[in-house]
Amino acid sequence: MSQSSKSPNVPTSADVARLAGVSRATVSYVLNNAAAVRISEPTRRKVREAAEELGYVPHAAARSLRAGHTRIVLLPTSHVPVGPLYSAFLNELQWALRRLDYTVVQYGSLGLNGDEAARAWAELRPVAVISLGEIALSPHNVATLKRAGARAVITLGPAGVPGAHALVMDQAEIGARAAGHLLERGRRRIGVVVPREAGLELFSGPRLAGARSVAGAEVEEVPLAHTEESAAELAARWRPLGLDAVFAYNDEYAMLLMRALQDAGLRIPEDVAVMGADDLLIGRLLRPRLSTVRLEMPTGDHLASLVDRAVREPSEITERNDLMAALVVPREST
Amino acid sequence: MSQSSKSPNVPTSADVARLAGVSRATVSYVLNNAAAVRISEPTRRKVREAAEELGYVPHAAARSLRAGHTRIVLLPTSHVPVGPLYSAFLNELQWALRRLDYTVVQYGSLGLNGDEAARAWAELRPVAVISLGEIALSPHNVATLKRAGARAVITLGPAGVPGAHALVMDQAEIGARAAGHLLERGRRRIGVVVPREAGLELFSGPRLAGARSVAGAEVEEVPLAHTEESAAELAARWRPLGLDAVFAYNDEYAMLLMRALQDAGLRIPEDVAVMGADDLLIGRLLRPRLSTVRLEMPTGDHLASLVDRAVREPSEITERNDLMAALVVPREST
DNA sequence: TTGAAAGCGGTACCAG
DNA sequence: CTGGTACCGCTTTCAA
C-alpha cells in the first residue's frame, strides 16, 4: 500500500554489478578509481560499459550516509534585491567552491526564523554554512549546525555571532561614511531612506544607525517603497521635511527618489544632495551622476579558501574576524 | 587512517532512544507524529525532551534513502544577470513550493554542459527539476533525470525538449514584437544588441532571430558588453552604421546604450529609436522613458502547482506546453 | 584480483 | 502500546 510507488527501476550499483558480472564492491572500486586496489583492465571496461548502458548515476544520499559526511556547502538565500554586485560575488564564490570539489547548495530560506532555518539546514548535514546575513543566527543556532557536523559556519552579517567565523560586513560604516560625506558637503539635515520592503532590516537598520552615529548630523528616518508611486508621494511632501540631503539605502532607491524629486521641481544637488550605496552601473546613467558608497566585498576566491581551510582544520581559524571596508565614491549628486 | 574523522557526536535517533529509555522505533513514531500507532503521552514527552536535550536533528539523507524518494525540487541557477523580474518570479516560486512541502534546492550550475549538469543533478535524486533555460538539456539528459526518479522535468527555455514538460517562453516573439513596433514607428534599419557576456545565448539568439523574422526590417547584429566603455565605443562609431533604431536585448543594455548615444550627441528618439525588454523600473527613470517589451511570466504559484500535479500524476500532464505572451509597452524612446 | 558482509541513520513492518 | 528487525544504496574492510 504505502509502497511509495517506487519508480520502476532506478538503476543501482547492484544492477551494474549484475550486468557486468561482477560484485558491487568491484563496481564501486572501478567507478571511484580506487587507488588502494588494482582491478584488471578488462573488468574495468566491462563495469564502465554496464554503467553507461544503464545510465547509472550514484545516489548522493547513500554515499554520504556511508561516508559519514558530505561536501555540501549551504548558501542560504532569501533572494532579496540586494543588487548586482552581490550576484557577481555569489557567482565567483560558487565557481571557486566547485573548483575545490564542494557541492554548493543554495537553500531558499525566506520567511524562516533562525531556529527553523538552522534545523532545516542541519538536516542536510552540510560541511559548511555561509550565511550572508538574511537570517539572524543565534549562538544556539550555530551550535545546532556544528552539532550536525558543520565544520564551518561563516556569517557575513553586520555582527559576529559567537561560535561562528565572522566576516564582519560593517553596514553601519556605510551609513557613517555617507553621512560624513554629506557633512563635508555642508549638509546638516539628512534623511535616511529605509526600504518598506521586508527582509532588508539586517542591512538597513545598521546603515541608519551608522548615519545617526555621526556627530553634527541631524538624521531623519524616511520610509520608501521601491515603486514610483511611493517615491512621488514622498517627493510631494518633501519641502516641509526641511532636509537638505538624503542617503537612500542603496543606488536603486536613490535613483528612484532622485527622479521623483527632480520631477517635483527640486534641483539636485543644489536643493537636495542625494547619495546611494553599492555603486551600481545605472547610478552613472542618470544625470546628475549619483554619488555612492561602495562596499569592498571579499572576493569569492578569498571566501572559498577561507571555507576550505576552516573545513580542513576547524580549530585553526575559528573565530577570526575579517573586516570589510566602505569607500565613498563622490560624483555629481552631492 | 581514512577514519573520516567522525565528528565527535552527531546525535542520532538511537541516542535519543537511549536517553529516553525507549526503542528507535518509538522515537521515530513520536517525532513523526505517526498516525497509525498510538503512543502514551508520558512516553511522547520523554522522547521529546530527550530529543530537545540532545539537539537532535534527523538526517535527511538517511530518511530519503529509506523512503526511496525525496521532496527535493531542483532549481538550477547560473546566476546570469537576467534581471529583477526573474528574481521576483523565483521568490514567488520558492514560497509556493515550500507551502506544498517541497524542499527547494538551487544548484549552481554555471560552466556545466548538459551532460555534466544532468548527472550532477541526478545524484541528488530530485523529485522534480525546473530548468529555467540557462542550460540546454538534450532529450537524453531528460531521460537521465527521469531514470533517476524525477517525476517532472520542466523547461522554461526557448524551445520544448522531448520528454520534458515545457513552458515555452518564446524569446523569439520578444524580438519580433520589438521589431514590429519599430517598423510601425517608421524605422527600417534596426540594430539588435547582443550581449558579449557569456551565458545569455539561449535568450539573445532567439530574440535576434525573432527580429530578423519580421518582414520589412533590415536587422543588423550589434555586440555590446555591459560596461560604459563598450557603450561609449559603440556610440562613437554609430552614425556610419546607418541605423535608425535599436532593440537592445533588455532594459539594462538599452539604458546603457541610450545614455552613451545621448552623450555622443544623438537625439532619442528623433535620430535613433531605442527599445528594451523586461520592463524594469529603471527604464522609467531615464529621460526619455524607455519603450520596452514585457514578458508575461507565469506566476510562481501557477508553476508550483504545475510541478505538484506533475509529481502526483506524471502521466496526466506529460508533454503539455504552455505559452507565455510578450507585450509591447510603448513609451518615449521610440 | 575479486567477493562477502557489515553498517551509515531512519522507517515501517510484525510480534509480543 | 512498544520493541525487534529488515531493509534503502553505497563504501570499505577482511578473506579467499
Side-chain angles (χ1 to χ4, degrees), chain A residues 13-23 26-28 30-31 39-56:
Chain A
S13 78
D15 295 322
V16 176
R18 207 170 304 125
L19 180 58
V22 300
S23 75
T26 307
V27 171
S28 177
V30 172
L31 264 29
I39 305 279
S40 71
E41 198 46 52
T43 305
R44 305 183 94 88
R45 200 189 329 284
K46 273 193 304 185
V47 171
R48 293 229 162 80
E49 282 167 1
E52 180 70 24
E53 182 176 338
L54 294 175
Y56 169 72

Side-chain angles (χ1 to χ4, degrees), chain B residues 13 24-25 28-29 56 66:
Chain B
S13 78
R24 290 161 65 217
S28 176
Y29 292 140
Y56 168 72
R66 171 66 227 227

Side-chain angles (χ1 to χ4, degrees), chain B residues 58-79:
Chain B
H59 193 308
R63 183 192 301 228
S64 62
L65 181 57
R66 171 66 227 227
H69 59 90
T70 71
R71 296 279 295 172
I72 292 177
V73 174
L74 195 83
L75 213 55
T77 55
S78 53
H79 252 298

Side-chain angles (χ1 to χ4, degrees), chain A residues 74-282:
Chain A
L74 195 82
L75 213 54
T77 55
S78 53
H79 252 298
V80 289
V82 282
L85 98 172
Y86 212 75
S87 310
F89 165 69
L90 281 183
N91 259 354
E92 233 188 66
L93 179 59
Q94 295 207 25
W95 258 109
L97 285 171
R98 193 199 307 297
R99 266 200 303 277
L100 293 170
D101 197 36
Y102 291 98
T103 298
V104 178
V105 168
Q106 285 184 248
Y107 192 100
S109 310
L110 78 192
L112 271 54
N113 66 32
D115 291 344
E116 296 164 335
R119 242 194 94 90
W121 303 344
E123 290 192 354
L124 299 179
R125 298 290 190 271
V127 70
V129 176
I130 307 180
S131 175
L132 276 350
E134 299 89 346
I135 302 231
L137 246 32
S138 71
H140 177 251
N141 294 332
V142 172
T144 297
L145 290 168
K146 291 237 167 130
R147 214 181 307 108
R151 318 232 318 157
V153 178
I154 296 185
T155 58
L156 231 158
V161 177
H165 302 243
L167 276 176
V168 175
M169 174 166 59
D170 200 348
Q171 300 288 337
E173 195 184 342
I174 296 179
R177 287 291 166 94
H181 172 72
L182 292 169
L183 284 179
E184 274 177 25
R185 290 284 203 254
R187 314 292 165 140
R188 283 292 169 273
R189 303 228 343 117
I190 303 175
V192 172
V193 166
V194 176
R196 286 189 192 280
E197 281 74 18
L200 294 171
E201 297 82 6
L202 270 161
F203 296 88
S204 62
R207 288 185 187 191
L208 172 60
R212 283 230 164 89
S213 74
V214 174
E218 292 176 45
V219 168
E220 182 113 1
E221 182 175 348
V222 184
L224 174 66
H226 194 251
T227 64
E228 284 186 293
E229 294 70 34
S230 177
E233 184 270 330
L234 176 55
R237 58 184 174 79
W238 188 263
R239 291 178 205 265
L241 293 175
L243 301 169
D244 54 15
V246 61
F247 165 56
Y249 177 64
N250 76 7
D251 286 357
E252 295 187 334
Y253 286 84
M255 293 186 316
L256 185 62
L257 179 56
M258 182 167 87
R259 170 53 68 192
L261 290 173
Q262 287 177 316
D263 288 350
L266 288 145
R267 292 164 307 157
I268 315 290
E270 293 80 359
D271 299 329
V272 192
V274 178
M275 182 135 205
D278 288 356
D279 193 18
L280 305 187
L281 175 55
I282 32 181

Side-chain angles (χ1 to χ4, degrees), chain A residues 13 24 29 56 63 66:
Chain A
S13 78
R24 290 159 62 217
Y29 290 141
Y56 169 72
R63 189 199 297 250
R66 169 67 225 228

